[in-house]
Amino acid sequence: MNVSRRSHSPEQGFDLVVIGGGINGVAIARECAQRGRTVLLVEQNDFGSGTTSRSTRIIHGGLRYLEQYEFGLVRESLHERERLLRESPHLVHPMQFLLVLPRSSRNLLRSSLAVHFGLWLYHRWAGGRQLPGSAPDAFERALDSDKQVSIYTYEDAQCEFPERLVAEWLAESIDAGAVVRNHTELLEITLTNGQVTGVRLRDRISGQEYSVDATTIVNASGPWVDRVLAASGINAPRLLGGIRGSHLVLPAFAGMSAKPLYTEASDGRQIFVLPWNNQVMVGSTEVADSADPDKVAPAGDEIDYLFGNFQRLFPTSGLSKTDIRYSFAGVRPLPYAPGKKYSAVSRRHVLHDHTEEGAAGLISVIGGKLTTAASLARDLARKIGMNVSEPALTIGVPVPGEDVESVVCQWAHTVAQKARIPENCAHVIAEWHGRHALAVAHSAASDERLRQAICPHTCHLVAEA
């Protein structure tokens, strides 16, 4: 169980209780706590353990949304991508992507002219930033010689470990006075005369049950949104049309592309093949899934589908299905849209007010994505009556990649000296924690036990935990 540094007893009640400790819930808690609201954030498992940790880990504008005329969502996403690149350069890294389209493509943008215009628009809305060009690798040259495909490049970004972004925003929430509690299960949202009055909770470790008063409840539980409402007897329409996205993780191999690929699968769906954590991630699928989100897992045919499409792109990789290191799946909490093609369901977030259903003060969060969590949090704050303006976005060239690496190296050197650990291990810590790596170093320096590696296979220290 976690508590904030600023004392605030549950018996005092809160302005706001946020249910769900994924990227959206943590972003909401941070935004509202930093603006002076008393906030309790609860998560039934561990923070970021649901959909957030099971994503494709891309910070992107959503190139395919241009084809669906979701121009507002693309602009919002690109602006949020730029903010994350500036605010968290140690966690969010710009990358040059390859867009690989079959010449016969009918699904992913319509023609060479449309592709060029779409990429130009995408580039302009991102502020005109251009990554330094890099020489084509062997895979790209092989593709380029194949007259069956067209190759384009564009810029997006990757958050290799979104769990780290959750952890940093969580710490900022606590610093602003929020009380945060993981392994805490919501039993019921309490109501009096059509107005929310608080929640009943259970500590999953101790089994203790208790009540907390609050005038506003935010249901940011992702795939659990409808289940939370049903458990409290709130007669709301079905809000979620959960879509399962599955991924494979494969070992690195000779001839793999150094750049992420965005391409069409054999059935015309869009998939990514991404370098990730010194491995390769392939994803994702889109399968309707309304089962228990706690038990979500890839189906056998999804694994066959993903590996088959990987093999079609890399027929000489030398990998077989037995080389799959692991697979994972998450449920995207998209709006319920019966009869609509899954890929066409909007990723724009919806804030559903339950006043007309007899639960004034309760708002459910539907949709959204990793890239736009901070923007969603600002919208939520406005909806509950806070005066929140959009932060200024300084358009221009961000810190170049080599300069970011130089800063990380400086942090690593300081961490190595202060914590008395090898510089290569200090670099790993600096990459994960950014400027907060110095606080890790301070802790490690205080006690030899905190300088021990968490396990023999990593440089990460007990001090980080």
Side-chain angles (χ1 to χ4, degrees), residues 42-115:
V42 297
E43 161 59 43
Q44 64 177 345
N45 297 308
D46 205 357
F47 297 110
S49 62
T51 302
T52 301
S53 65
R54 302 172 193 181
S55 67
T56 312
R57 297 160 185 263
I58 300 173
I59 302 295
H60 66 126
L63 190 58
R64 78 175 182 183
Y65 307 150
L66 288 177
E67 191 180 27
Q68 298 160 4
Y69 306 109
E70 290 255 29
F71 299 134
L73 177 58
V74 174
R75 291 193 69 173
E76 175 193 10
S77 300
L78 287 169
H79 287 176
E80 292 305 306
R81 186 193 75 184
E82 295 306 297
R83 288 192 181 101
L84 286 167
L85 283 166
R86 286 170 172 79
E87 293 171 5
S88 303
H90 58 298
L91 295 177
V92 181
H93 307 129
M95 299 182 78
Q96 189 175 69
F97 283 64
L98 295 181
L99 174 61
V100 181
L101 296 181
R103 291 284 173 90
S104 59
S105 172
R106 293 176 299 177
N107 297 321
L108 189 64
L109 306 175
R110 300 305 182 189
S111 66
S112 178
L113 181 62
V115 172

Side-chain angles (χ1 to χ4, degrees), residues 103 113 152 175-176 208 290 372 411 420:
R103 291 284 173 90
L113 181 62
Y152 308 86
D175 286 343
Q208 178 189 2
S290 57
T372 55
W411 287 335
R420 301 193 296 280

Side-chain angles (χ1 to χ4, degrees), residues 147-174:
K147 302 306 179 185
Q148 300 304 309
V149 299
S150 298
I151 305 172
Y152 308 86
T153 60
Y154 69 99
E155 288 73 45
D156 256 324
Q158 183 182 56
C159 182
E160 199 170 22
F161 301 108
E163 302 88 345
R164 286 293 319 139
L165 188 61
V166 167
E168 289 199 0
W169 287 4
L170 192 68
E172 291 173 15
S173 302
I174 294 169

Side-chain angles (χ1 to χ4, degrees), residues 286-300:
E286 288 183 333
V287 179
D289 191 329
S290 57
D292 185 351
D294 280 320
K295 299 176 181 177
V296 63

